[in-house]
Amino acid sequence: NAGVMQNPRHLVRRRGQEARLRCSPMKGHSHVYWYRQLPEEGLKFMVYLQKENIIDESGMPKERFSAEFPKEGPSILRIQQVVRGDSAAYFCASSLQGTISYEQYFGPGTRLTVT
Amino acid sequence: GEDVEQSLFLSVREGDSSVINCTYTDSSSTYLYWYKQEPGAGLQLLTYIFSNMDMKQDQRLTVLLNKKDKHLSLRIADTQTGDSAIYFCAESLPNAGNMLTFGGGTRLMVKP
């Protein structure tokens, strides 16, 4: 049973370009969470999704950021018109049920660098 | 201020015990967690404690929870060089869905 997979592991974008980060949850998991880790800081919650639904996006910046988790395929975190401040590690976690937090399993992260 | 706070850095000698501390502000936390992050890697859940417990032991790891002082600690017995990493504490709240709130992390350096 493969763990949470994220790709790409490293992504370099120029200012103004779009970044697409993908997350494939563990097999059978239908809940996905995205967190952002700025350099030398802890992880900050961004968004919580179930299949085809956004449950909680209280941590998402209001502009340029969007997330989806379609019925088929991975969850996508999309950042439009990236700026240098978007440079960070983006982690995805998945869980089988949405009720017990300790069941969140983290992926290896995507490290985004904006030049 | 931050909801969850940790000291930035801890250095110990191999074989000694390490104690990493964490304070949190919300007394309604349901679960509290310790995660380990090695360089360039994701987060590995080490252990967790339910808020109605005050201690949990798992092999070399001991978690102590003082709800009155809102203080959580992680003790690593017989610390090894492979324990060198960043350790994050995190909390979940009953009315915050399933999101985790993390501290800033404590970098543990183990000297041989």
Side-chain angles (χ1 to χ4, degrees):
Chain A
N1 187 9
V4 177
M5 299 178 70
Q6 292 186 246
N7 68 81
R9 295 291 307 275
H10 299 274
L11 181 62
V12 179
R13 285 286 178 266
R14 289 199 174 126
R15 279 181 297 171
Q17 291 185 319
E18 178 179 282
R20 281 194 179 203
L21 288 63
R22 293 175 184 77
C23 169
S24 296
M26 287 181 71
K27 187 176 180 180
H29 286 193
S30 58
H31 299 253
V32 165
Y33 316 81
W34 286 94
Y35 294 83
R36 176 166 66 175
Q37 183 180 31
L38 294 170
E40 305 300 320
E41 293 188 13
L43 279 72
K44 304 289 187 198
F45 169 79
M46 298 182 75
V47 62
Y48 163 37
L49 310 104
Q50 295 178 22
K51 289 277 188 183
E52 300 184 282
N53 283 309
I54 296 174
I55 306 303
D56 181 349
E57 56 181 348
S58 58
M60 285 271 276
K62 294 287 185 284
E63 297 177 351
R64 303 187 297 108
F65 285 72
S66 62
E68 63 178 11
F69 188 18
K71 188 176 179 182
E72 301 291 336
S75 175
I76 307 284
L77 179 67
R78 183 182 292 112
I79 311 171
Q80 296 177 304
Q81 299 176 325
V82 296
V83 300
R84 287 224 173 100
D86 297 331
S87 295
Y90 292 82
F91 290 96
C92 164
S94 73
S95 70
L96 180 60
Q97 296 176 0
T99 55
I100 303 177
S101 291
Y102 73 82
E103 293 179 343
Q104 284 188 38
Y105 296 87
F106 281 79
T110 294
R111 279 151 182 84
L112 172 66
T113 302
V114 179
T115 61
Chain B
E2 292 292 328
D3 296 318
V4 182
E5 292 192 356
Q6 302 177 236
S7 53
L8 288 176
F9 189 77
L10 176 66
S11 178
V12 300
R13 292 209 175 274
E14 192 174 18
D16 289 349
S17 292
S18 307
V19 179
I20 302 171
N21 295 302
C22 172
T23 57
Y24 58 98
T25 56
D26 199 314
S27 57
S28 62
S29 297
T30 49
Y31 284 93
L32 293 129
Y33 312 82
W34 284 104
Y35 283 86
K36 177 183 180 182
Q37 184 181 35
E38 296 185 71
L43 272 70
Q44 174 194 355
L45 177 62
L46 289 177
T47 187
Y48 65 94
I49 188 167
F50 188 50
S51 57
N52 69 354
M53 299 169 63
D54 51 23
M55 187 181 100
K56 181 178 180 181
Q57 187 150 3
D58 184 0
Q59 299 183 337
R60 291 191 298 125
L61 305 179
T62 303
V63 178
L64 295 178
L65 175 60
N66 181 330
K67 283 201 75 172
K68 174 175 168 289
D69 294 338
K70 300 189 187 70
H71 182 266
L72 180 75
S73 68
L74 174 69
R75 178 176 180 270
I76 306 172
D78 188 25
T79 313
Q80 304 297 306
T81 54
D83 295 324
S84 293
I86 301 176
Y87 290 81
F88 292 96
C89 66
E91 64 175 352
S92 64
L93 301 174
N95 298 318
N98 296 284
M99 75 178 220
L100 299 177
T101 301
F102 286 85
T106 299
R107 185 179 298 272
L108 174 65
M109 178 179 290
V110 183
K111 297 178 182 176

